[in-house]
Each structure stands twice: as C-alpha cells, then as structure tokens.
Amino acid sequence: MTDFTYELDADGVAVIAWDVKNKSMNVMSREGFVELDGMVDKALADEAVKGVVITSAKDSFAGGMDLNIIARMKEDAGDDPARGLFDGIMQIHAILRKIERAGMDPKTNKGGKPIAAALPGTALGIGLEIPLSCHRIFAADNPKAKIGLPEIKVGIFPGAGGTTRISRKLGAMAAAPILLEGKLLDPKKAKSSGIVDEVVPADELLASAKAWVLSAKDADIVKPWDQKGYKFPGGAPYHPTGFMTFVGASAMVNGNTKGVYPAAKALLSAVYEGALVPFDTALKIEARWFTNVLMNPSSSNMIRSLFINKEALEKGANRPDVPDQKVRKLGILGAGMMGAGIAYVAANAGIEVALIDAKQDAADKGKAHAESILDKGISRKKVTPEKKDEVLSRILPTTDYDALKGCDLIVEAVFEDPKVKAEVTAKAEAILGDDAIFATNTSTLPITDLAKASKRPEQFIGIHFFSPVDKMLLVEIIKGKQTGDVAVAKALDFVRQIRKTPIVVNDARFFYANRCIIPYINEGLRMVREGVTPALIENAAKMVGMPLGPLQLTDETSIDLGAKIARATRAAMGDAYPDGEVDEVIFWMEEQGRLGRKANAGFYAYDEKGKRQGLWDGLIDQFPVADEQPDLQEVQQRLLFAQALEAVRALEDGVLMDIREGDVASILGWGFAPWSGGVLSWLDMVGAAWAVERCDTLTEAYGKRFEAPALLRELAENGEGFYDRLDGQRADAA
Ligand code: NAD
C-alpha cells in the first residue's frame, strides 16, 4: 500500500505527498500512519535532507480519519480495550511529536530539521492535526477549502494532539468554537484566527513552503510550548482571566449538551487539565480522555448511525436493482406549506417543477415561499442573486394540469382528504405518460387505500416529507401493497437528487416516524393529567437529549392537529383506542383555543412577537400538580421507552425493515436522543435484559403500553442486541 509518496529535490527538501489511491479525498488509515512514520524517520535520518514539506497530491489535503476505523477502534483494541486504545493513541502522539521535535536536541532545542505543511485545500480532523504538529502551515488561497476539527460533531473530539495544540496555540477562548462547535474556516479566516501561518496563491504553495524550510533557523522551529517561560494564551485555569474562561466554558457546555454528550465534557476536561501541566503530560491526559470517549458506546453508536449508516442509506443501500430513475421534471399537486417546500428543494437541486394548485394565487404563493427562502440565503451570503433567478425560473406555478405533461414524477400534497386526493390523482394520471410515478405526501392515510384511485397502483408510492421541508433531512418512502420496484427506485433517486436521507418502510398507520413520536407526545400529556409538574416533564426530556419536550413539541406541531389525529385514530380503532386519558388534555386545550405556537398560546405562554415565555399557568389550574412527584429518571424512562418500544413493534410488524433505517430516522426525523445513536441503539446500549426488566416494572405501574415486545424479550433471553442479531440484514417486505 502506498498512501504517501516521498521525493527528495535537488535543494535537499524531502516532499512527502499524501495521495490515497482510488479516493477523491485523502483519509487516514492505520497503514497510512505507519507509512508516514517511516517516511519521517527516513527524512530525519538522511543527512542530505535539509527539511521536509508534507503536502497532498490532490486538490485537498485530507478529510480526516477513516470513520469506519474509529467506529471499530474499541472492538479492534484487544482483550483489554482501554489499554489497547490508550497505547494506540500514544503511538499516534509519538509520530506527531517526532515531526514537531524533528530531531532537535531536547536540551538546547537545536539541530532539528524544519518541517512545513502545505495544504492545497480542505484539511479536516487528523488532516489538520498533522499540520499542527509541523513548524509552519501554508494554505493555498482556495476559498472553497474548509479547515478545522469537526470531530465533536461525530461524538468524539480531536484526539491526535489537536485538542492540546489548538488550545495552546490560540488560548481556551479562541479555541472554543473550533473545538467545541467543530467550526470550519476558509484559509483566510484560518489565518486570521491563528490556525494557519500563511495563505499563498495555489500555484506558489509548494515553492513557498520549500523556501521557508530552506531559510528557517533553529529558533523558528521550536514550538512556544517547548520554550522556557511558555504561558497559556489568555491564561491557564488558575490565572484570573483563564479562570473566568474555564468557568464560562464549563457552564456553556453543560447548558448546551445537558451533560449527555460524553465527548464535549471529556474535551473540556482534556483542555483544562492539560493546561496545568507540561506539554507531553497534556498529550497523555488528552489520550486518557480520548480513550474514555472511545470506550463509551455513545461515540461508536453516533458514528455508526450518523455517518456510516446514514451514508449507506443515501447511497441506496435498500434500492431495488433497476436502472437509474433520476427525475427530470417534477409535478407537484397542492402548493401549500408542504408542496411549496418540496418545489423549493427540487428546483434548488436542478429539477424542473410544475407547481399546481386549485387557484392561481395559491400556486403563486407556493413559488413565493421558495423566493423567501432564497432571499434569506442572499442576506446570509449563502446564495447569489443569479442562483436565486436560476432556481425560481425552474418553478412554474399554475392551475393548468396540462403543465404536468412530460413529468416523470408527481408528488401530491393537497388537503389530507381521501376524496380530494382521489380526484387529483385521476386528473393527473389522465395527462401523465405511462412510465410516470405518482407519489403522495400524506402523513396519515394508508398508501394502499389511496392507490385505489390510481389506474396503476404498482406505480403509486408514498414519499413523506417532514416540515419544514427545506430544513428536515429525512424523507420516508412508503410502499403500498402493490407498489413496484421501479416506484421505490424512483423515490430513492429523487431523494438522492435533493440530497436528503431516505428510509423505505411498509404501509401502516402513521408509517414509522410519526408512529414513534406520537407515543412520546402522548406520554407527556398523560403525565400532565396525572399531575406531574409540567416543568419536570419538559426538563426531563431535554436533559436526556430530546431537542424539544413533549409539550413544546405539541405547541410547535399545533394542538388542533393533535386533536384531529386523536379523533381520526379513535374513529379507526373503536373500542381498542388506548389514548382516552391523553385526549382529555388535548381536547381541553383545543376548547380553550390554545392551539399552540401559531395561536401564540398553548402549553407555553408567548409574547406578542411570538417569543416563547414560560409554561402557561392555566395548565396546572386544570390539571393540578400532585403532592408526590416521580423522580427524574422515571420520567425520562417513560418518555424514551414510549418511543423505543413503538420502534421495536414497527420492526416486528414489518413496517420497519432495516434497523439502520430505524436508528437514522429516529435522529433525523424526530431528534431521538442523538447521543445514543438512535432508538434501537439506545436499547442495545442499556441492554435488552435491563430494558425488559424496566418494561415489566413500568407495565405494572402504568399499563400495557410498556409491555416488552416479544423480540426484545427474545434478545434479552439470548443476551443479544439488535445489532448483534440484525445488522446488515433486511427483513422481507411484508
Ligand atoms: P396545506 O393546507 O398547507 O396545503 C394544501 C394545498 O392543496 C392548498 O394550497 C390547497 O389550495 C391545495 N389544494 C387543495 N385541493 C386541491 C386540488 N383539488 N387541486 C389542487 N390543489 C389543491 O397542507 P399541507 O400542510 O401542505 O399538507 C399537504 C399534505 O401533506 C397533506 O396530505 C398532509 O397530510 C401532508 N403532510 C403535512 C405535513 C405538515 O407538517 N403540514 C407533513 C407531512 C405531510
């Protein structure tokens, strides 16, 4: 394997160029480290080498460490994984420290060889940690390049010296957005913030780095932290200003993460403790905290769901084997909130759109929605006026169904009424070509029933978007009983074109995402009726990593929608309807006219500008708070199990066919505690045996809805988890 090339030029500069074969961007592997280490040794040992430039043969430097390796690091670390991980991390530190010290005398700091990093473009994660160990960083003036340490976003932190070096280089305050938020900068901003040293024209990159290497003196290559009298910029923790920074950072991290993301806490500890000791000890502390994070299943679960499996689904892991079904022209029926959002994302992805509504002004309003999103983009400098014109020119708002001629996909988003939907289906099919696929965006009506209005039910499918369409990343694709493979492939290819993440599920009431989120909301409302303090319900949810408490979520989606769904479900289920207690709360709120955020009044109070204030006092007048309150964990478990058990039932019923989809959708679709890696990963994390035991207790206390599904019991009996049993398997379509 050769991930790096080595070349010694006539002036005595060794150029180590990173160039991983068959990849558009370099990523670091175990073998890559060994190779880099060997080349650094060679350069340092060769008397003919005066200095070194580490660069890349591609137009970027590197995208980071291979995430597949990080996800498996614990499993691959041997019988004593903590020890194995720590030793492995220390080996990486040793390689980078060797670059940093470059053969200089440990006492006099003299005699080292200058080593520069030359970054042609993007440099992320380990792709920045290596340059940070070099003596000078040159970046090409490439405004598209992104430079930074995004590890925190995958549930880990920069653990190859990046944490220690960036905080010592910039000080804790300036390092905070880079480390804690994973903020990425273009080369010029990276220079002004002190991360890179020089930004030069791309065609002068290598020459500039070489020239510096040949002119650098002993003093130029000694890092500040290896010099006598080094002081931590902005003050170490016991310095008066440093103290303020660290206290503030600690409060901020806990406020933002509610303490559920182990990486943020560990990162802060590594910086704080590292700042109190000499550099090499700080690296050891960083390695200990990094080991701690990698030992926590949260990091590997997050990487598995949010990167590896999300990407696999986007690349078509569950796509039937039929030819490319890319959408050329899209027809949208209904230009309301959803139709307008879908028109924007499609046009933005380069697709021609015919946007149809019953009235011309409604169709125009749909197009105006796209315009307002683009205008916001312009004011944030993310969109150019030319791009806006180009995107808008692709949307034709009209009432004329003839505009559907030539459409190869229709997405229907008219009122949630089977009659209206049947009418527009027939009208559209009369115009469409034989191969066109018809999709409905319904959120509650069974696809198989709606398909009855179609002349070609095998070409009829559900494509369920979430609101707001331009922001939500998940799209649920629903197969009706007769939906064929081409329709599934078409839906998947469309979702890929608009750069969202798809899951494919079978048809059943509420499909998958809404089926799981409704019990979460209902559990919160049940607790209100039981007399649990509303603030306890909301805070318990947020403290376990849910983005919104169940009451706030109900306000956002609206009380009347909740009441409408409750009525329809009650009508469909008859005596088996289990949520009468919930309805007491939701119907009472509806009667009070407190319809949620849109009415400026709901479970929360809002000011005239619509800004959310505290919880509404009137709620506890109607549903008085009980004298005895449950403990926090009990509330949290009720809220999490309500969602997770429904996901297991969806899997048992064959609605969900792939556990990866169950997890990815739970995070992207409704924000299920992302630190856990998703609903099923959470059950694996706590263990099926513990989950079953808790379910038995909760069933006794609160009722049958907490009964452990048979599949969970079986896993508990066998000492297995969902990923032990089902990873990579796809259940047959029901
Ligand atoms: P909406 O009321 O905002 O929009 C519906 C639009 O359809 C209106 O502009 C209306 O004029 C138009 N329309 C009605 N009858 C028509 C006809 N015969 N021909 C052409 N146009 C017609 O509703 P919405 O919130 O955009 O929801 C649309 C669909 O999407 C529903 O099926 C809904 O269940 C589903 N959905 C909604 C959400 C959500 O959060 N609102 C989320 C997912 C799915």
Side-chain angles (χ1 to χ4, degrees), residues 336-338 357-358 413-416 421 424 441 443 464-465 467:
M337 188 167 92
M338 299 305 288
D357 206 293
V414 298
F415 297 140
E416 190 74 336
K421 289 195 187 288
V424 299
N441 181 47
S443 30
H464 182 216
F465 284 85
S467 175

